Amino acid sequence: MTPPPTALEPPLVLEGTGLLGGRPSRVSITPGEPGTGVVFLVGEAPVAIPARLERVVHTARGVTLADATGEHRLSIVEHFLGAVALAGLRDLRVRVEGAPELPLLDGSGGE
């Protein structure tokens, strides 16, 4: 059996519709700096939201993360993070444009 990849060929771009808001969302995934983990970049500025337990601010109908101020939020991250962990990926920069949520795609994490 071939081990899963631990590196990502940049950039990986996904586009779709957000589950909760129904608005378009575009995600660009590139390798991150070693040791940083998964970091979401949201908003026009963009603002960094690390995928860490202390950044979880809501768990009804999906997991929502927020920056330290609570001003910038990102919803529906659980399927993406599960797929990333299963693939053995560790350090990623995930730029999210459009809706403040990840696109649903097919919901399996396989896309």
Coordinates of all heavy atoms in Angstrom, one line a residue:
M1 N 0.8 -1.2 0.0 CA 0.0 0.0 0.0 C 0.9 1.2 0.0 O 1.8 1.3 0.8 CB -0.9 0.0 1.2 CG -1.9 1.1 1.3 SD -3.1 0.7 2.6 CE -3.3 2.3 3.2
T2 N 0.6 2.2 -0.8 CA 1.3 3.4 -0.9 C 0.9 4.4 0.2 O -0.3 4.6 0.4 CB 1.0 4.1 -2.3 OG1 1.4 3.2 -3.3 CG2 1.9 5.4 -2.4
P3 N 1.9 5.0 0.9 CA 1.5 5.9 2.0 C 0.9 7.1 1.4 O 1.2 7.5 0.3 CB 2.8 6.2 2.7 CG 3.9 5.9 1.7 CD 3.3 4.8 0.8
P4 N 0.0 7.8 2.2 CA -0.6 9.1 1.7 C 0.5 10.1 1.5 O 1.5 10.1 2.2 CB -1.6 9.4 2.7 CG -1.1 8.8 4.0 CD -0.4 7.5 3.5
P5 N 0.2 11.1 0.6 CA 1.2 12.2 0.4 C 1.2 13.1 1.7 O 0.2 13.2 2.3 CB 0.6 12.9 -0.8 CG -0.8 12.7 -0.8 CD -1.0 11.3 -0.2
T6 N 2.4 13.6 2.0 CA 2.5 14.5 3.1 C 2.8 15.9 2.6 O 3.0 16.8 3.4 CB 3.6 14.1 4.1 OG1 4.8 13.9 3.4 CG2 3.2 12.8 4.7
A7 N 2.8 16.1 1.3 CA 3.1 17.4 0.7 C 2.0 17.7 -0.4 O 1.4 16.8 -0.9 CB 4.4 17.5 0.0
L8 N 1.8 18.9 -0.6 CA 0.7 19.3 -1.6 C 1.3 20.1 -2.7 O 2.2 20.9 -2.5 CB -0.3 20.2 -0.8 CG -1.4 20.8 -1.5 CD1 -2.4 19.6 -1.8 CD2 -2.1 21.8 -0.7
E9 N 0.9 19.7 -3.9 CA 1.4 20.5 -5.1 C 0.6 21.7 -5.2 O -0.6 21.6 -5.4 CB 1.3 19.6 -6.3 CG 2.2 18.4 -6.4 CD 3.7 18.9 -6.5 OE1 4.0 19.9 -7.1 OE2 4.5 18.2 -5.8
P10 N 1.1 22.9 -5.1 CA 0.3 24.1 -5.1 C 0.0 24.6 -6.5 O 0.7 24.2 -7.4 CB 1.3 25.1 -4.4 CG 2.6 24.7 -4.7 CD 2.5 23.1 -4.8
P11 N -1.0 25.4 -6.6 CA -2.0 25.6 -5.6 C -3.2 24.7 -5.9 O -3.4 24.3 -7.1 CB -2.5 27.0 -5.8 CG -2.2 27.3 -7.2 CD -1.0 26.5 -7.6
L12 N -3.9 24.2 -5.0 CA -5.1 23.5 -5.2 C -6.3 24.4 -5.0 O -6.4 25.1 -3.9 CB -5.2 22.3 -4.2 CG -6.5 21.5 -4.2 CD1 -6.6 20.8 -5.5 CD2 -6.4 20.4 -3.1
V13 N -7.2 24.6 -6.0 CA -8.3 25.5 -5.9 C -9.6 24.8 -5.9 O -9.8 23.9 -6.8 CB -8.2 26.6 -7.0 CG1 -9.4 27.5 -7.0 CG2 -6.9 27.3 -6.9
L14 N -10.5 25.1 -5.0 CA -11.8 24.5 -5.0 C -12.8 25.6 -5.0 O -12.7 26.6 -4.3 CB -12.0 23.6 -3.7 CG -11.0 22.5 -3.5 CD1 -11.1 22.0 -2.1 CD2 -11.2 21.4 -4.5
E15 N -13.9 25.4 -5.7 CA -15.0 26.4 -5.7 C -16.3 25.7 -5.6 O -16.5 24.6 -6.1 CB -15.0 27.2 -7.0 CG -13.7 28.0 -7.2 CD -13.8 28.9 -8.5 OE1 -14.9 29.0 -9.1 OE2 -12.7 29.4 -8.9
G16 N -17.2 26.3 -4.9 CA -18.5 25.8 -4.7 C -19.4 26.7 -3.9 O -19.1 27.9 -3.7
T17 N -20.5 26.2 -3.4 CA -21.5 26.9 -2.7 C -21.5 26.6 -1.2 O -21.4 25.4 -0.9 CB -22.9 26.7 -3.3 OG1 -22.9 27.0 -4.7 CG2 -24.0 27.5 -2.6
G18 N -21.5 27.6 -0.4 CA -21.6 27.3 1.1 C -22.9 26.7 1.5 O -23.9 27.0 0.9
L19 N -22.8 25.8 2.4 CA -24.0 25.0 2.9 C -25.0 25.8 3.6 O -26.2 25.8 3.3 CB -23.5 23.8 3.8 CG -24.6 23.0 4.4 CD1 -25.4 22.3 3.4 CD2 -24.0 22.1 5.5
L20 N -24.5 26.7 4.5 CA -25.4 27.4 5.3 C -26.0 28.7 4.7 O -27.1 29.0 4.7 CB -24.8 27.8 6.7 CG -24.3 26.6 7.5 CD1 -23.6 27.1 8.8 CD2 -25.4 25.7 7.8
G21 N -25.1 29.4 4.0 CA -25.5 30.7 3.4 C -25.8 30.6 2.0 O -26.4 31.6 1.4
G22 N -25.4 29.6 1.3 CA -25.8 29.4 -0.1 C -25.0 30.4 -1.0 O -25.4 30.6 -2.2
R23 N -23.9 31.0 -0.5 CA -23.1 31.9 -1.3 C -21.9 31.2 -1.9 O -21.4 30.3 -1.3 CB -22.7 33.1 -0.5 CG -23.9 33.9 0.0 CD -23.6 35.1 0.9 NE -22.3 35.6 0.8 CZ -21.6 36.2 1.8 NH1 -22.1 36.2 3.0 NH2 -20.4 36.7 1.6
P24 N -21.4 31.7 -3.0 CA -20.2 31.1 -3.6 C -19.0 31.3 -2.7 O -18.8 32.3 -2.0 CB -20.0 32.0 -4.9 CG -21.2 32.7 -5.1 CD -21.9 32.8 -3.8
S25 N -18.1 30.3 -2.7 CA -16.9 30.3 -1.9 C -15.8 29.7 -2.8 O -16.0 28.7 -3.5 CB -17.1 29.4 -0.7 OG -16.0 29.4 0.1
R26 N -14.6 30.3 -2.7 CA -13.4 29.8 -3.4 C -12.3 29.6 -2.4 O -12.0 30.5 -1.6 CB -13.0 30.9 -4.4 CG -11.7 30.5 -5.2 CD -11.3 31.7 -6.1 NE -10.0 31.6 -6.6 CZ -9.6 31.0 -7.7 NH1 -10.6 30.5 -8.5 NH2 -8.4 31.0 -8.1
V27 N -11.7 28.4 -2.5 CA -10.6 28.1 -1.5 C -9.4 27.8 -2.3 O -9.4 27.0 -3.3 CB -11.1 26.8 -0.7 CG1 -9.9 26.4 0.2 CG2 -12.3 27.1 0.1
S28 N -8.3 28.4 -1.9 CA -6.9 28.1 -2.5 C -6.1 27.6 -1.4 O -5.9 28.2 -0.4 CB -6.3 29.4 -3.1 OG -7.2 30.0 -4.0
I29 N -5.5 26.4 -1.7 CA -4.7 25.7 -0.7 C -3.3 25.6 -1.1 O -3.0 25.1 -2.2 CB -5.3 24.3 -0.4 CG1 -6.8 24.3 -0.1 CG2 -4.5 23.6 0.7 CD1 -7.5 23.0 -0.2
T30 N -2.4 26.1 -0.3 CA -0.9 26.0 -0.6 C -0.2 25.5 0.6 O -0.7 25.5 1.7 CB -0.4 27.4 -1.0 OG1 -0.7 28.3 0.1 CG2 -1.0 27.9 -2.3
P31 N 1.0 25.0 0.5 CA 1.8 24.6 1.6 C 2.0 25.7 2.6 O 2.2 26.9 2.2 CB 3.1 24.1 1.0 CG 2.8 23.8 -0.4 CD 1.7 24.8 -0.8
G32 N 2.0 25.4 3.9 CA 2.3 26.4 4.9 C 3.7 26.3 5.4 O 4.4 25.3 5.0
E33 N 4.1 27.2 6.3 CA 5.4 27.1 6.9 C 5.5 25.9 7.8 O 4.5 25.6 8.5 CB 5.7 28.4 7.7 CG 5.9 29.6 6.8 CD 7.1 29.5 5.9 OE1 8.2 29.0 6.3 OE2 6.9 29.9 4.7
P34 N 6.6 25.2 7.9 CA 6.7 24.0 8.8 C 6.3 24.4 10.2 O 6.8 25.4 10.7 CB 8.1 23.6 8.7 CG 8.5 24.1 7.3 CD 7.8 25.4 7.1
G35 N 5.5 23.5 10.8 CA 5.1 23.7 12.2 C 4.0 24.7 12.5 O 3.6 24.9 13.6
T36 N 3.4 25.2 11.4 CA 2.3 26.2 11.6 C 0.9 25.5 11.7 O -0.1 26.1 12.1 CB 2.2 27.2 10.5 OG1 2.1 26.6 9.2 CG2 3.5 28.1 10.5
G37 N 0.8 24.3 11.2 CA -0.5 23.6 11.1 C -1.3 24.2 10.0 O -0.8 24.8 9.1
V38 N -2.6 24.0 10.1 CA -3.5 24.5 9.1 C -3.9 25.9 9.5 O -4.4 26.1 10.6 CB -4.8 23.6 8.9 CG1 -5.8 24.3 8.0 CG2 -4.4 22.2 8.5
V39 N -3.7 26.9 8.6 CA -4.1 28.3 8.9 C -5.0 28.7 7.8 O -4.7 28.7 6.6 CB -2.9 29.2 9.0 CG1 -3.3 30.6 9.2 CG2 -1.9 28.7 10.1
F40 N -6.2 29.1 8.2 CA -7.2 29.7 7.2 C -7.0 31.2 7.1 O -6.7 31.9 8.1 CB -8.6 29.4 7.7 CG -9.0 28.0 7.7 CD1 -9.0 27.3 8.9 CD2 -9.4 27.3 6.6 CE1 -9.4 25.9 9.0 CE2 -9.7 26.0 6.6 CZ -9.7 25.3 7.8
L41 N -7.1 31.7 5.9 CA -6.9 33.2 5.7 C -8.3 33.6 5.1 O -8.7 33.2 4.0 CB -5.8 33.4 4.7 CG -4.4 32.9 5.1 CD1 -3.5 32.9 4.0 CD2 -3.9 33.7 6.3
V42 N -9.0 34.5 5.9 CA -10.3 34.9 5.5 C -10.4 36.4 5.4 O -9.7 37.1 6.0 CB -11.4 34.3 6.5 CG1 -11.3 32.8 6.5 CG2 -11.2 34.9 7.9
G43 N -11.4 36.9 4.7 CA -11.7 38.3 4.6 C -10.8 38.9 3.5 O -9.9 38.3 2.9
E44 N -11.1 40.2 3.2 CA -10.3 40.9 2.1 C -8.9 41.2 2.5 O -8.0 41.3 1.7 CB -11.1 42.2 1.8 CG -12.4 41.9 1.1 CD -13.1 43.2 0.6 OE1 -12.3 44.1 0.3 OE2 -14.3 43.2 0.5
A45 N -8.6 41.3 3.8 CA -7.3 41.7 4.3 C -6.1 40.8 4.0 O -5.1 41.2 3.6 CB -7.3 42.1 5.8
P46 N -6.1 39.5 4.1 CA -6.9 38.6 4.8 C -6.4 38.4 6.3 O -5.3 38.8 6.6 CB -6.7 37.3 4.1 CG -5.4 37.4 3.5 CD -5.2 38.9 3.2
V47 N -7.3 37.9 7.1 CA -7.0 37.6 8.5 C -6.7 36.1 8.8 O -7.5 35.3 8.2 CB -8.2 38.1 9.4 CG1 -7.9 37.8 10.9 CG2 -8.4 39.6 9.3
A48 N -5.7 35.8 9.5 CA -5.4 34.4 9.8 C -6.2 33.8 10.9 O -6.3 34.5 12.0 CB -3.9 34.3 10.2
I49 N -6.7 32.7 10.7 CA -7.4 31.9 11.7 C -6.8 30.5 11.8 O -7.1 29.7 10.9 CB -9.0 31.8 11.4 CG1 -9.6 33.2 11.3 CG2 -9.6 31.0 12.5 CD1 -11.1 33.1 10.9
P50 N -6.0 30.2 12.8 CA -5.4 28.9 12.9 C -6.5 27.9 13.3 O -7.4 28.2 14.0 CB -4.4 29.0 14.0 CG -4.4 30.5 14.4 CD -5.5 31.1 13.8
A51 N -6.3 26.7 12.7 CA -7.2 25.6 13.0 C -6.8 25.0 14.4 O -6.1 23.9 14.4 CB -7.2 24.6 11.9
R52 N -7.2 25.6 15.4 CA -6.9 25.2 16.8 C -8.1 25.1 17.6 O -9.0 25.9 17.4 CB -5.8 26.1 17.4 CG -4.6 26.3 16.6 CD -3.4 26.6 17.4 NE -2.2 26.9 16.6 CZ -1.5 26.1 16.0 NH1 -1.8 24.8 15.9 NH2 -0.4 26.5 15.3
L53 N -8.1 24.3 18.6 CA -9.3 24.1 19.5 C -9.7 25.4 20.1 O -10.9 25.7 20.2 CB -9.0 23.0 20.6 CG -10.1 22.7 21.5 CD1 -11.3 22.2 20.7 CD2 -9.7 21.7 22.5
E54 N -8.8 26.2 20.6 CA -9.2 27.5 21.2 C -9.8 28.5 20.3 O -10.3 29.5 20.7 CB -8.0 28.1 21.9 CG -6.8 28.5 21.0 CD -5.8 27.4 20.9 OE1 -6.0 26.2 21.2 OE2 -4.7 27.7 20.4
R55 N -9.8 28.2 19.0 CA -10.4 29.1 18.0 C -11.9 28.7 17.7 O -12.5 29.3 16.9 CB -9.6 29.2 16.7 CG -8.2 29.7 16.9 CD -8.2 31.1 17.3 NE -6.9 31.6 17.3 CZ -6.5 32.8 17.7 NH1 -7.4 33.7 18.1 NH2 -5.3 33.2 17.6
V56 N -12.3 27.6 18.2 CA -13.7 27.1 18.0 C -14.6 28.0 18.8 O -14.5 28.2 20.0 CB -13.9 25.6 18.4 CG1 -15.3 25.2 18.3 CG2 -13.0 24.7 17.6
V57 N -15.6 28.6 18.1 CA -16.6 29.5 18.8 C -18.0 29.0 18.6 O -18.9 29.6 19.3 CB -16.5 30.9 18.2 CG1 -15.1 31.5 18.6 CG2 -16.7 31.0 16.7
H58 N -18.2 28.0 17.8 CA -19.6 27.5 17.6 C -19.6 26.1 17.0 O -18.7 25.8 16.2 CB -20.3 28.5 16.6 CG -21.8 28.3 16.5 ND1 -22.6 28.7 17.5 CD2 -22.6 27.8 15.5 CE1 -23.9 28.4 17.1 NE2 -23.9 27.9 15.9
T59 N -20.5 25.3 17.5 CA -20.5 23.9 17.0 C -21.9 23.4 16.6 O -22.0 22.2 16.3 CB -19.9 22.9 18.1 OG1 -20.7 23.0 19.3 CG2 -18.5 23.2 18.3
A60 N -22.9 24.2 16.6 CA -24.2 23.8 16.1 C -24.2 23.8 14.6 O -23.8 24.8 14.0 CB -25.3 24.7 16.7
R61 N -24.6 22.7 14.0 CA -24.7 22.6 12.5 C -23.4 22.9 11.8 O -23.3 23.4 10.7 CB -25.7 23.6 11.9 CG -27.1 23.4 12.4 CD -28.1 24.3 11.7 NE -28.1 24.0 10.3 CZ -28.7 24.8 9.4 NH1 -29.2 26.0 9.8 NH2 -28.6 24.6 8.1
G62 N -22.3 22.4 12.5 CA -20.9 22.6 11.9 C -20.0 23.3 12.9 O -20.5 23.8 13.9
V63 N -18.8 23.3 12.6 CA -17.8 23.9 13.4 C -17.4 25.3 12.8 O -17.1 25.4 11.6 CB -16.5 23.0 13.5 CG1 -15.4 23.7 14.3 CG2 -16.9 21.7 14.2
T64 N -17.4 26.3 13.7 CA -17.0 27.6 13.3 C -15.8 28.0 14.1 O -15.8 27.9 15.3 CB -18.2 28.6 13.5 OG1 -19.3 28.3 12.8 CG2 -17.8 30.1 13.1
L65 N -14.8 28.6 13.3 CA -13.6 29.1 14.0 C -13.6 30.6 13.9 O -14.3 31.2 13.0 CB -12.3 28.6 13.2 CG -12.2 27.1 13.1 CD1 -11.0 26.7 12.2 CD2 -12.0 26.4 14.5
A66 N -12.9 31.3 14.8 CA -12.8 32.7 14.7 C -11.4 33.2 15.0 O -10.6 32.5 15.6 CB -13.8 33.4 15.7
D67 N -11.1 34.4 14.6 CA -9.8 35.0 14.9 C -9.8 35.4 16.4 O -10.8 35.2 17.0 CB -9.4 36.1 14.0 CG -10.3 37.3 14.2 OD1 -11.4 37.2 14.7 OD2 -9.9 38.4 13.8
A68 N -8.7 35.9 16.9 CA -8.6 36.3 18.3 C -9.6 37.3 18.7 O -10.0 37.3 19.9 CB -7.1 36.7 18.6
T69 N -10.0 38.2 17.8 CA -10.9 39.2 18.1 C -12.4 38.8 18.1 O -13.3 39.4 18.6 CB -10.8 40.5 17.2 OG1 -11.2 40.1 15.9 CG2 -9.4 41.0 17.2
G70 N -12.6 37.7 17.4 CA -14.0 37.2 17.2 C -14.7 37.9 16.0 O -15.8 37.5 15.7
E71 N -14.0 38.8 15.4 CA -14.6 39.6 14.3 C -14.7 38.8 13.0 O -15.7 38.9 12.3 CB -13.8 40.8 14.0 CG -14.4 41.7 13.0 CD -13.6 43.0 12.8 OE1 -12.8 43.4 13.6 OE2 -13.7 43.6 11.7
H72 N -13.7 38.0 12.7 CA -13.7 37.2 11.5 C -13.9 35.7 11.8 O -13.3 35.2 12.7 CB -12.3 37.3 10.8 CG -12.0 38.7 10.3 ND1 -11.4 39.7 11.1 CD2 -12.3 39.3 9.1 CE1 -11.4 40.8 10.4 NE2 -11.9 40.6 9.2
R73 N -14.9 35.1 11.1 CA -15.3 33.8 11.4 C -15.2 32.9 10.1 O -15.4 33.5 9.0 CB -16.7 33.7 12.0 CG -16.7 34.3 13.4 CD -18.1 34.3 13.9 NE -18.1 34.8 15.3 CZ -18.7 34.2 16.3 NH1 -19.4 33.2 16.1 NH2 -18.6 34.7 17.5
L74 N -15.1 31.6 10.3 CA -15.2 30.7 9.1 C -15.9 29.5 9.6 O -15.6 28.8 10.6 CB -13.8 30.3 8.7 CG -13.7 29.4 7.5 CD1 -14.3 30.0 6.2 CD2 -12.3 28.9 7.2
S75 N -17.0 29.1 8.8 CA -17.8 28.0 9.2 C -17.6 26.8 8.3 O -17.1 26.9 7.2 CB -19.3 28.4 9.1 OG -19.6 29.5 10.0
I76 N -18.1 25.6 8.8 CA -18.1 24.4 8.1 C -16.7 23.9 7.7 O -16.3 23.6 6.6 CB -19.0 24.4 6.8 CG1 -20.3 25.0 7.1 CG2 -19.2 23.1 6.2 CD1 -21.2 24.2 8.1
V77 N -15.8 23.9 8.7 CA -14.4 23.5 8.5 C -14.2 22.0 8.8 O -13.1 21.5 8.5 CB -13.5 24.3 9.4 CG1 -13.6 25.8 9.0 CG2 -13.7 24.1 10.9
E78 N -15.1 21.3 9.5 CA -14.9 20.0 10.0 C -14.6 18.9 8.9 O -13.7 18.1 9.1 CB -16.0 19.5 10.9 CG -17.4 19.4 10.3 CD -18.2 20.7 10.2 OE1 -17.6 21.8 10.4 OE2 -19.4 20.6 9.8
H79 N -15.3 18.9 7.8 CA -15.0 17.9 6.8 C -13.7 18.1 6.1 O -12.9 17.2 5.9 CB -16.1 18.0 5.7 CG -17.4 17.4 6.1 ND1 -18.0 16.4 5.5 CD2 -18.2 17.8 7.1 CE1 -19.2 16.1 6.1 NE2 -19.3 16.9 7.1
F80 N -13.3 19.4 5.9 CA -12.0 19.7 5.3 C -10.9 19.3 6.3 O -9.9 18.6 5.8 CB -11.9 21.2 5.1 CG -10.6 21.7 4.6 CD1 -10.2 21.5 3.3 CD2 -9.6 22.2 5.5 CE1 -8.9 21.9 2.8 CE2 -8.4 22.6 5.0 CZ -8.0 22.4 3.7
L81 N -11.0 19.6 7.5 CA -10.0 19.3 8.5 C -9.8 17.7 8.6 O -8.7 17.2 8.8 CB -10.2 19.9 9.8 CG -10.0 21.5 9.8 CD1 -10.5 22.0 11.2 CD2 -8.6 21.8 9.5
G82 N -11.0 17.0 8.6 CA -10.9 15.6 8.6 C -10.2 15.0 7.4 O -9.4 14.1 7.6
A83 N -10.5 15.5 6.2 CA -9.8 15.0 5.0 C -8.3 15.3 5.0 O -7.5 14.5 4.6 CB -10.5 15.7 3.8
V84 N -8.0 16.5 5.5 CA -6.6 16.9 5.6 C -5.8 16.0 6.6 O -4.7 15.5 6.3 CB -6.4 18.4 6.1 CG1 -5.0 18.7 6.6 CG2 -6.8 19.3 5.0
A85 N -6.4 15.7 7.7 CA -5.8 14.8 8.7 C -5.7 13.4 8.1 O -4.6 12.7 8.3 CB -6.6 14.7 10.0
L86 N -6.7 12.9 7.5 CA -6.7 11.6 6.9 C -5.6 11.5 5.8 O -5.0 10.4 5.6 CB -8.0 11.2 6.3 CG -8.3 9.8 5.9 CD1 -8.1 8.9 7.1 CD2 -9.6 9.6 5.3
A87 N -5.4 12.5 5.1 CA -4.4 12.6 4.0 C -2.9 12.7 4.5 O -2.0 12.6 3.8 CB -4.7 13.7 3.0
G88 N -2.8 13.0 5.8 CA -1.5 13.1 6.4 C -0.9 14.5 6.2 O 0.3 14.6 6.4
L89 N -1.7 15.4 5.8 CA -1.1 16.8 5.5 C -1.1 17.5 6.9 O -1.9 17.4 7.7 CB -2.0 17.5 4.5 CG -2.1 16.9 3.1 CD1 -3.1 17.6 2.3 CD2 -0.7 16.9 2.5
R90 N -0.1 18.4 7.0 CA 0.1 19.1 8.3 C 0.1 20.6 8.2 O -0.6 21.2 9.0 CB 1.4 18.6 9.0 CG 1.5 17.2 9.3 CD 0.6 16.9 10.5 NE 0.7 15.5 10.9 CZ -0.2 14.6 10.6 NH1 -1.3 14.9 9.9 NH2 -0.1 13.3 10.9
D91 N 0.9 21.2 7.4 CA 1.0 22.6 7.4 C 0.5 23.2 6.1 O 1.1 23.1 5.0 CB 2.5 23.0 7.5 CG 3.1 22.4 8.8 OD1 2.6 22.6 9.9 OD2 4.1 21.7 8.7
L92 N -0.7 23.8 6.2 CA -1.3 24.4 5.0 C -1.8 25.8 5.2 O -2.2 26.2 6.3 CB -2.6 23.5 4.6 CG -2.4 22.1 4.3 CD1 -3.7 21.4 4.1 CD2 -1.5 21.9 3.1
R93 N -1.8 26.6 4.2 CA -2.4 27.9 4.1 C -3.6 27.8 3.3 O -3.5 27.4 2.1 CB -1.4 28.9 3.6 CG -0.2 29.2 4.5 CD 0.8 30.2 3.8 NE 0.2 31.4 3.4 CZ 0.0 32.5 4.2 NH1 0.4 32.4 5.4 NH2 -0.5 33.6 3.7
V94 N -4.8 28.1 3.8 CA -6.0 27.9 3.1 C -6.7 29.3 3.0 O -7.3 29.8 4.0 CB -6.9 26.9 3.9 CG1 -8.2 26.7 3.2 CG2 -6.2 25.6 4.2
R95 N -6.7 29.8 1.8 CA -7.3 31.2 1.6 C -8.7 30.9 1.2 O -9.0 30.2 0.2 CB -6.5 31.9 0.4 CG -7.1 33.2 0.0 CD -6.8 34.2 1.1 NE -7.1 35.6 0.5 CZ -8.2 36.2 0.9 NH1 -9.1 35.7 1.8 NH2 -8.5 37.4 0.4
V96 N -9.6 31.6 1.9 CA -11.1 31.4 1.6 C -11.6 32.8 1.2 O -11.5 33.8 1.9 CB -11.8 30.9 2.9 CG1 -13.3 30.8 2.6 CG2 -11.2 29.6 3.4
E97 N -12.2 32.8 0.0 CA -12.7 34.0 -0.5 C -14.2 33.8 -0.8 O -14.7 32.8 -1.1 CB -12.0 34.4 -1.9 CG -10.5 34.6 -1.7 CD -9.8 34.8 -3.0 OE1 -9.5 33.7 -3.6 OE2 -9.7 35.9 -3.4
G98 N -15.0 34.9 -0.6 CA -16.4 34.8 -0.8 C -17.1 34.6 0.5 O -16.9 35.3 1.4
A99 N -17.9 33.6 0.5 CA -18.7 33.3 1.7 C -17.8 33.0 2.9 O -16.7 32.4 2.7 CB -19.6 32.1 1.5
P100 N -18.2 33.3 4.1 CA -17.4 33.0 5.3 C -17.6 31.5 5.7 O -17.7 31.2 6.9 CB -18.0 33.9 6.4 CG -19.4 34.1 6.0 CD -19.4 34.0 4.5
E101 N -17.6 30.6 4.8 CA -17.7 29.2 5.0 C -17.0 28.5 3.9 O -16.9 29.0 2.8 CB -19.1 28.8 5.2 CG -20.0 29.0 4.0 CD -21.4 28.6 4.3 OE1 -21.7 27.6 4.8 OE2 -22.3 29.4 3.9
L102 N -16.6 27.2 4.1 CA -16.0 26.4 3.1 C -17.1 25.9 2.2 O -18.2 25.7 2.6 CB -15.2 25.3 3.7 CG -14.0 25.7 4.5 CD1 -13.3 24.5 5.1 CD2 -13.0 26.4 3.6
P103 N -16.8 25.7 0.9 CA -17.8 25.2 0.0 C -18.2 23.7 0.3 O -17.3 23.0 0.8 CB -17.2 25.3 -1.4 CG -15.7 25.3 -1.1 CD -15.5 25.9 0.2
L104 N -19.4 23.4 0.1 CA -19.9 22.0 0.5 C -19.3 21.0 -0.4 O -18.9 19.9 0.0 CB -21.4 22.0 0.4 CG -22.1 20.6 0.7 CD1 -21.7 20.2 2.1 CD2 -23.6 20.7 0.4
L105 N -19.2 21.3 -1.7 CA -18.7 20.3 -2.7 C -19.7 19.1 -2.6 O -20.8 19.2 -2.5 CB -17.3 19.9 -2.6 CG -16.3 21.1 -2.6 CD1 -14.9 20.7 -2.4 CD2 -16.4 21.9 -3.9
D106 N -19.1 17.8 -2.5 CA -20.0 16.7 -2.4 C -20.2 16.2 -1.0 O -20.9 15.2 -0.7 CB -19.6 15.5 -3.3 CG -18.3 14.8 -2.8 OD1 -17.7 15.2 -1.8 OD2 -17.9 13.8 -3.5
G107 N -19.5 16.9 0.0 CA -19.6 16.6 1.4 C -18.8 15.4 1.9 O -18.8 15.1 3.1
S108 N -18.1 14.8 1.0 CA -17.3 13.6 1.4 C -15.9 13.8 1.8 O -15.2 13.0 2.4 CB -17.3 12.6 0.2 OG -16.5 13.0 -0.8
G109 N -15.4 15.0 1.4 CA -13.9 15.3 1.6 C -13.1 14.6 0.5 O -11.9 14.7 0.6
G110 N -13.7 14.0 -0.4 CA -13.0 13.3 -1.5 C -12.6 14.2 -2.7 O -11.8 13.8 -3.5
E111 N -13.3 15.4 -2.8 CA -13.0 16.2 -3.9 C -11.7 17.0 -3.7 O -11.4 17.4 -2.6 CB -14.2 17.2 -4.1 CG -15.3 16.5 -4.7 CD -16.4 17.5 -5.1 OE1 -16.2 18.3 -6.0 OE2 -17.5 17.4 -4.5

